[in-house]
Amino acid sequence: MNTSPVIEARDLNLTFETNDGPVQALKDVNLTINKGDFVSFIGPSGCGKTTFLRVMAALEHPTAGTITVNGMTPDEARRKRAYGYVFQAAGLYPWRTIARNIKLPLEIMGYSRADQDTRVEEVLKLVDLDGFGGKYPWQLSGGMQQRASIARALAFDADILLMDEPFGALDEIVRDHLNEQLLELWARTEKTIAFVTHSIPEAVYLSTKIVVMSPRPGRITDVIESPLPRDRPLDIRDTQAFLDVAHRVREGLRAGHSYD
Amino acid sequence: MTEPVDTTPSRWASGVTGIVFPVLVVLAIITAIWYAVCVPMNIHGAVQSAERAGVVVIPEDAKTRREMGGVALALQNTGEISDVWSQDRPRLPAPHQVAVELWKTTVLKKVTSKRSLIYHGWITLSATLLGFAFGTGLGILLAIGIVHSRVMDMSVMPWAIISQTIPIIALAPMIIVVLYSIGVQGIIPKAVISAYLSFFPVVVGMVKGLRSPDAMQLDLLRTYSASKAQGFWKLRLPASMPYLFTSLKIGIAASLVGAIVGELPTGAVSGLGARLLAGSYYGQTVQIWSALFAAAILAACLVAILGVIERVTLKRMGMA
């Protein structure tokens, strides 16, 4: 496995100026994400996990420290189309069919018509939505809509996928299914994935690396390299190795809260 | 055991009868109230004409009658009540009198006739549509400016709101006089007043519509490095469509009011406003009411047409 760093954060700090005074969303964050990693960020609300993801995407800018994405600043990386971003809500345009929703980034980035069509076909297959291109979002279930939004993020060949609680609004049964599919998709496409979640089982099941964060100020309290194999059936969640990792995550979360 | 037989009519049929019946009941009640109100409103006139025709009426003194309430007079002259619905110049014409007048001045008159409501309706409608087009265009442009520029938001929006607090009846004569003094007359001044009334709902609705995409939608476009223009054409404008149509329906009704008001201060010779004015000069209440109804019917048709366009457009966009 090639292990060149894709994302590198050094002494990253970010302070929001609010009416109640400054809020430190990120404090002295150091992290390296290697190519092909599946990294989960877990922690309670306000721990800065989403903020960190937004910094990678250049949606927020750090007040101190450095971060590089593919060796570039996040802004440059965005212009080079280094990443696709998946939000908590699918955010599909109700006036566009699924296929045309997936075309949205391609239109904006100026791909040719023919190229757009072949890419839409490809990514629809990738997320198992073959044949749904002509449907409108309201005709699809919540899980299918979220898959369509993942397809939209994959359509333009970004090798990094930034996912902000993409399955947070879905029920657990659908979420299990999508987790399985996401792992499959990750194995097939060899993307680097940064994934924000609230769920310990989800983080442990999906990740090669789990970043545990805690709030006030937002910081990293533990980074766990998962000992689980890359090939993971759903029932791996009943094994001792899985439970051990989950336990360590829980410990890390508790430690972060201890001096609240 | 037998299978239960579905005896309920289809959903469509029960839906229609379920709506039509209550609507007819409400209509019947309104009409009944109208006929009833005609009695106290018109009884003075009915009694007076009966007296002229030689009938003995109570009380005999005209001055005493004038000071009496309509209900009391009607109770003392029950024989004259039937006449209240058929006077030439009633204070309040009965529904069938208005209906007959409407029929006579639309279907039975040539459209080129000066007494045809179709002719007058067209005069008003053309000013309405022109003003509506001006107003909608202006409203959309202002909304785009307001959404994209904080300066415009701060400077234009308060004036747009203030503009609507001035009674149009006070402003209309000034607009017409000022435009007349620079040589503009005819349809344009009326259209300007229409535009003045109709741009406002469009501005308010479109500002709301263009701002309707949430932060997540805007962030998504940022991750694509989309330009402001792309954000406008691909996200803001389509997202604003439902808001636009709601505004247009309010705007077109306001436009019609504007065109009619624009016809009042000029002593205009044609248009629904002119019919209203002429009717009130000569005490032709039937004419006033039929012009009012013509305006109401016209407004209803315009709003209904917009409703159809809205349904078709949003359906084609997959939003309805």
Side-chain angles (χ1 to χ4, degrees):
Chain A
M1 196 78 209
N2 182 353
T3 54
S4 57
V6 167
I7 291 167
E8 228 173 351
R10 290 286 159 261
D11 303 320
L12 208 61
N13 280 273
L14 197 159
T15 309
F16 289 116
E17 295 300 331
T18 71
N19 290 335
D20 300 331
V23 170
Q24 192 150 31
L26 292 174
K27 183 176 164 54
D28 301 330
V29 168
N30 285 289
L31 187 75
T32 303
I33 298 178
N34 291 322
K35 187 163 169 43
D37 274 353
F38 195 126
V39 183
S40 285
F41 296 85
I42 189 164
S45 307
C47 71
K49 53 193 193 300
T50 293
T51 306
F52 190 23
L53 204 68
R54 291 173 63 84
V55 169
M56 294 178 204
L59 291 173
E60 308 285 354
H61 291 91
T63 37
T66 58
I67 179 165
T68 59
V69 177
N70 283 347
M72 299 171 270
T73 68
D75 282 297
E76 287 167 350
R78 168 155 85 202
R79 281 192 289 277
K80 291 262 164 65
R81 296 165 201 165
Y83 65 86
Y85 203 106
V86 179
F87 292 86
Q88 177 165 9
L92 301 169
Y93 292 1
W95 56 88
R96 284 178 174 238
T97 60
I98 298 302
R100 292 205 56 232
N101 264 292
I102 295 171
K103 276 184 194 171
L104 176 71
L106 304 176
E107 288 170 9
I108 289 171
M109 294 169 183
Y111 286 77
S112 76
R113 279 282 164 85
D115 202 7
Q116 289 180 18
D117 290 331
T118 45
R119 277 163 187 274
V120 167
E121 284 306 309
E122 264 170 43
V123 291
L124 277 176
K125 276 196 198 104
L126 217 50
V127 297
D128 246 344
L129 281 176
D130 235 355
F132 285 92
K135 295 264 190 269
Y136 281 98
W138 58 270
Q139 294 171 300
L140 270 60
S141 70
M144 290 164 99
Q145 290 187 20
Q146 197 51 276
R147 262 147 62 196
S149 92
I150 294 171
R152 182 178 57 189
L154 292 171
F156 49 94
D157 281 344
D159 44 332
I160 306 170
L161 204 49
L162 304 177
M163 308 179 88
D164 185 6
E165 293 185 49
F167 309 138
L170 304 172
D171 68 66
E172 203 166 336
I173 301 165
V174 175
R175 183 193 277 230
D176 274 356
H177 180 60
L178 289 183
N179 280 343
E180 227 179 341
Q181 281 194 320
L182 182 59
L183 273 186
E184 230 172 81
L185 190 133
W186 171 61
R188 230 183 313 163
T189 57
E190 295 175 343
K191 306 254 180 215
T192 307
I193 298 181
F195 189 96
V196 167
T197 180
H198 270 127
S199 156
I200 297 173
E202 188 171 67
V204 179
Y205 176 64
L206 291 172
S207 322
T208 57
K209 191 196 286 252
I210 302 159
V211 179
V212 183
M213 298 184 75
S214 81
R216 286 176 297 273
R219 67 202 182 281
I220 294 176
T221 50
D222 197 4
V223 177
I224 305 165
E225 299 287 344
S226 176
L228 301 176
R230 284 197 161 226
D231 188 23
R232 299 172 187 181
L234 261 183
D235 51 21
I236 201 171
R237 296 186 298 185
D238 301 324
T239 63
Q240 192 56 47
F242 185 95
L243 297 176
D244 288 343
V245 179
H247 180 74
R248 194 173 151 196
V249 172
R250 205 167 284 120
E251 289 289 298
L253 289 171
R254 200 170 297 152
H257 267 307
S258 58
Y259 46 88
D260 249 2
Chain B
M1 283 286 283
T2 53
E3 286 288 306
V5 179
D6 187 9
T7 53
T8 55
S10 75
R11 251 182 77 196
W12 183 82
S14 66
V16 167
T17 51
I19 290 169
V20 168
F21 182 70
V23 167
L24 286 180
V25 169
V26 171
L27 196 62
I29 291 172
I30 293 172
T31 313
I33 292 174
W34 187 348
Y35 272 112
V37 172
C38 285
V39 176
M41 291 293 283
N42 300 342
I43 191 70
H44 292 86
V47 168
Q48 197 174 1
S49 20
E51 187 188 33
R52 275 199 210 115
V55 180
V56 178
V57 295
I58 311 160
E60 283 184 37
D61 178 32
K63 189 167 173 285
T64 322
R65 283 205 306 270
R66 265 203 299 281
E67 285 161 3
M68 276 178 78
V71 178
L73 189 62
L75 288 174
Q76 292 183 30
N77 298 278
T78 45
E80 269 58 62
I81 286 180
S82 60
D83 293 339
V84 300
W85 297 299
S86 55
Q87 289 176 292
D88 277 346
R89 289 183 181 189
R91 276 193 204 160
L92 176 65
H96 68 269
Q97 291 179 296
V98 177
V100 167
E101 172 76 6
L102 269 175
W103 181 260
K104 279 201 297 201
T105 50
T106 52
V107 182
L108 301 183
K109 279 273 183 307
K110 274 199 291 189
V111 291
T112 48
S113 161
K114 288 277 187 273
R115 302 183 66 182
S116 162
L117 271 184
I118 306 269
Y119 164 77
H120 292 287
W122 166 248
I123 299 289
T124 303
L125 178 65
S126 51
T128 300
L129 293 179
L130 186 63
F132 179 64
F134 282 163
T136 303
L138 179 67
I140 291 174
L141 287 179
L142 284 178
I144 293 170
I146 286 168
V147 167
H148 286 93
S149 149
R150 205 174 142 64
V151 174
M152 272 195 79
D153 188 12
M154 306 288 279
S155 57
V156 174
M157 204 56 180
W159 289 108
I161 293 168
I162 288 169
S163 75
Q164 302 302 302
T165 62
I166 301 164
I168 190 63
I169 203 82
L171 205 60
M174 288 195 273
I175 292 174
I176 286 167
V177 168
V178 167
L179 288 179
Y180 184 82
S181 72
I182 58 169
V184 179
Q185 50 181 315
I187 190 175
I188 300 291
K190 290 195 278 176
V192 167
I193 295 165
S194 282
Y196 183 89
L197 286 186
S198 62
F199 88 97
F200 185 67
V202 176
V203 170
V204 174
M206 277 305 273
V207 166
K208 184 124 177 89
L210 292 172
R211 282 186 179 150
S212 65
D214 56 21
M216 195 206 81
Q217 296 280 18
L218 300 173
D219 278 345
L220 183 67
L221 287 182
R222 278 175 68 197
T223 69
Y224 303 149
S225 306
S227 67
K228 267 195 164 187
Q230 286 171 325
F232 176 77
W233 290 109
K234 293 190 189 298
L235 176 61
R236 288 188 189 273
L237 190 64
S240 71
M241 279 305 123
Y243 297 84
L244 174 65
F245 279 109
T246 308
S247 306
L248 290 184
K249 284 192 212 166
I250 304 170
I252 192 115
S255 265
L256 183 65
V257 171
I260 291 173
V261 169
E263 285 161 353
L264 294 179
T266 46
V269 286
S270 53
L272 292 175
R275 287 294 279 182
L276 285 172
L277 205 60
S280 72
Y281 281 158
Y282 301 113
Q284 296 285 358
T285 47
V286 181
Q287 181 186 324
I288 296 175
W289 279 82
S290 58
L292 273 180
F293 268 79
I297 292 165
L298 190 57
C301 290
L302 291 172
V303 172
I305 290 169
L306 277 174
V308 170
I309 296 173
E310 175 182 28
R311 261 210 306 284
V312 171
T313 309
L314 294 187
K315 202 169 180 79
R316 284 187 63 175
M317 288 176 72
M319 289 169 90

